[in-house]
mmCIF file of all heavy atoms in Angstrom:
data_model
loop_
_atom_site.group_PDB
_atom_site.id
_atom_site.type_symbol
_atom_site.label_atom_id
_atom_site.label_comp_id
_atom_site.label_asym_id
_atom_site.label_seq_id
_atom_site.Cartn_x
_atom_site.Cartn_y
_atom_site.Cartn_z
ATOM 1 N N PHE D 153 -3.814 7.761 2.476
ATOM 2 C CA PHE D 153 -4.463 8.921 2.581
ATOM 3 C C PHE D 153 -5.770 8.905 1.929
ATOM 4 O O PHE D 153 -6.777 9.455 2.599
ATOM 5 C CB PHE D 153 -3.709 10.121 1.881
ATOM 6 C CG PHE D 153 -2.267 10.402 2.619
ATOM 7 C CD1 PHE D 153 -1.304 10.839 1.875
ATOM 8 C CD2 PHE D 153 -2.177 10.149 3.971
ATOM 9 C CE1 PHE D 153 -0.178 11.289 2.449
ATOM 10 C CE2 PHE D 153 -0.826 10.511 4.513
ATOM 11 C CZ PHE D 153 0.106 10.930 3.790
ATOM 12 N N GLY D 168 -24.076 13.082 10.182
ATOM 13 C CA GLY D 168 -25.042 14.065 9.841
ATOM 14 C C GLY D 168 -26.278 13.587 9.208
ATOM 15 O O GLY D 168 -27.386 14.070 9.521
ATOM 16 N N ALA D 170 -27.658 10.473 10.005
ATOM 17 C CA ALA D 170 -28.457 9.926 10.973
ATOM 18 C C ALA D 170 -29.061 10.984 11.859
ATOM 19 O O ALA D 170 -30.302 10.844 12.133
ATOM 20 C CB ALA D 170 -27.513 9.147 11.862
ATOM 21 N N ALA D 187 -30.817 18.685 18.828
ATOM 22 C CA ALA D 187 -29.931 19.834 18.791
ATOM 23 C C ALA D 187 -28.677 19.679 19.873
ATOM 24 O O ALA D 187 -27.580 19.775 19.604
ATOM 25 C CB ALA D 187 -30.554 21.153 18.993
ATOM 26 N N LEU D 193 -21.915 16.202 19.778
ATOM 27 C CA LEU D 193 -21.150 15.617 18.664
ATOM 28 C C LEU D 193 -20.145 16.512 17.934
ATOM 29 O O LEU D 193 -19.096 15.980 17.387
ATOM 30 C CB LEU D 193 -21.965 14.829 17.732
ATOM 31 C CG LEU D 193 -22.678 13.522 18.309
ATOM 32 C CD1 LEU D 193 -23.640 13.062 17.200
ATOM 33 C CD2 LEU D 193 -21.646 12.461 18.566
ATOM 34 N N LEU D 203 -12.312 18.031 9.653
ATOM 35 C CA LEU D 203 -10.938 18.406 9.544
ATOM 36 C C LEU D 203 -10.056 17.210 8.949
ATOM 37 O O LEU D 203 -9.208 17.464 8.096
ATOM 38 C CB LEU D 203 -10.425 18.714 10.975
ATOM 39 C CG LEU D 203 -8.849 19.341 10.930
ATOM 40 C CD1 LEU D 203 -8.827 20.612 10.184
ATOM 41 C CD2 LEU D 203 -8.511 19.572 12.416
ATOM 42 N N GLY D 209 -7.593 15.162 2.181
ATOM 43 C CA GLY D 209 -7.831 15.663 0.948
ATOM 44 C C GLY D 209 -6.724 16.441 0.298
ATOM 45 O O GLY D 209 -6.175 16.163 -0.690
ATOM 46 N N VAL D 213 -3.908 15.645 -2.741
ATOM 47 C CA VAL D 213 -3.529 16.500 -3.759
ATOM 48 C C VAL D 213 -1.972 16.639 -3.845
ATOM 49 O O VAL D 213 -1.344 16.627 -4.885
ATOM 50 C CB VAL D 213 -4.032 17.958 -3.519
ATOM 51 C CG1 VAL D 213 -3.510 19.106 -4.505
ATOM 52 C CG2 VAL D 213 -5.654 17.882 -3.712
ATOM 53 N N GLU D 215 0.316 14.453 -2.464
ATOM 54 C CA GLU D 215 0.894 13.133 -2.724
ATOM 55 C C GLU D 215 0.645 12.562 -4.102
ATOM 56 O O GLU D 215 1.461 11.920 -4.730
ATOM 57 C CB GLU D 215 0.422 12.090 -1.764
ATOM 58 C CG GLU D 215 1.193 10.840 -1.652
ATOM 59 C CD GLU D 215 2.641 11.042 -0.991
ATOM 60 O OE1 GLU D 215 2.896 11.887 -0.312
ATOM 61 O OE2 GLU D 215 3.290 10.023 -1.512
ATOM 62 N N LEU D 227 -14.442 22.652 -5.920
ATOM 63 C CA LEU D 227 -15.728 22.334 -5.272
ATOM 64 C C LEU D 227 -15.547 21.611 -3.984
ATOM 65 O O LEU D 227 -16.399 21.988 -3.044
ATOM 66 C CB LEU D 227 -16.567 21.729 -6.253
ATOM 67 C CG LEU D 227 -17.007 22.339 -7.524
ATOM 68 C CD1 LEU D 227 -17.679 21.436 -8.559
ATOM 69 C CD2 LEU D 227 -17.915 23.637 -7.160
ATOM 70 N N ALA D 230 -14.570 24.329 -1.449
ATOM 71 C CA ALA D 230 -15.738 25.160 -1.240
ATOM 72 C C ALA D 230 -16.795 24.579 -0.332
ATOM 73 O O ALA D 230 -17.404 25.203 0.438
ATOM 74 C CB ALA D 230 -16.314 25.495 -2.534
ATOM 75 N N ILE D 238 -21.259 27.450 7.818
ATOM 76 C CA ILE D 238 -22.636 27.092 8.444
ATOM 77 C C ILE D 238 -22.493 26.882 9.943
ATOM 78 O O ILE D 238 -23.362 27.203 10.720
ATOM 79 C CB ILE D 238 -23.209 25.853 7.718
ATOM 80 C CG1 ILE D 238 -23.694 26.393 6.235
ATOM 81 C CG2 ILE D 238 -24.427 25.264 8.438
ATOM 82 C CD1 ILE D 238 -24.010 25.155 5.353
ATOM 83 N N GLY D 241 -20.110 29.961 11.937
ATOM 84 C CA GLY D 241 -20.816 31.249 11.731
ATOM 85 C C GLY D 241 -22.262 31.416 11.885
ATOM 86 O O GLY D 241 -22.780 32.390 12.145
ATOM 87 N N GLY D 247 -27.659 28.852 17.956
ATOM 88 C CA GLY D 247 -27.904 27.949 19.062
ATOM 89 C C GLY D 247 -27.900 28.735 20.396
ATOM 90 O O GLY D 247 -28.789 28.545 21.370
ATOM 91 N N LYS D 249 -28.263 32.109 20.710
ATOM 92 C CA LYS D 249 -29.200 33.103 20.641
ATOM 93 C C LYS D 249 -30.647 32.605 20.942
ATOM 94 O O LYS D 249 -31.443 33.393 21.519
ATOM 95 C CB LYS D 249 -29.047 33.907 19.296
ATOM 96 C CG LYS D 249 -30.102 35.017 19.103
ATOM 97 C CD LYS D 249 -29.920 35.650 17.710
ATOM 98 C CE LYS D 249 -30.782 36.868 17.524
ATOM 99 N NZ LYS D 249 -30.691 37.374 16.230
ATOM 100 N N ALA D 263 -33.674 22.805 9.040
ATOM 101 C CA ALA D 263 -33.670 23.354 7.684
ATOM 102 C C ALA D 263 -32.114 23.551 7.336
ATOM 103 O O ALA D 263 -31.570 23.179 6.292
ATOM 104 C CB ALA D 263 -34.321 24.576 7.486
ATOM 105 N N ALA D 277 -20.534 13.472 -4.363
ATOM 106 C CA ALA D 277 -20.811 13.274 -5.848
ATOM 107 C C ALA D 277 -19.673 13.885 -6.587
ATOM 108 O O ALA D 277 -19.164 13.348 -7.650
ATOM 109 C CB ALA D 277 -22.188 13.869 -6.333
ATOM 110 N N THR D 288 -22.130 20.362 -17.659
ATOM 111 C CA THR D 288 -23.178 21.286 -17.460
ATOM 112 C C THR D 288 -24.292 20.580 -16.586
ATOM 113 O O THR D 288 -24.814 21.289 -15.682
ATOM 114 C CB THR D 288 -23.753 21.808 -18.748
ATOM 115 O OG1 THR D 288 -22.716 22.138 -19.593
ATOM 116 C CG2 THR D 288 -24.632 22.931 -18.632
ATOM 117 N N ALA D 299 -30.097 25.505 -4.387
ATOM 118 C CA ALA D 299 -30.981 26.625 -4.389
ATOM 119 C C ALA D 299 -32.327 26.179 -3.643
ATOM 120 O O ALA D 299 -32.855 26.886 -2.798
ATOM 121 C CB ALA D 299 -31.391 27.081 -5.865
#
Side-chain angles (χ1 to χ4, degrees):
F153 294 153
L193 285 174
L203 188 59
V213 170
E215 189 74 19
L227 289 174
I238 288 169
K249 182 178 178 183
T288 311

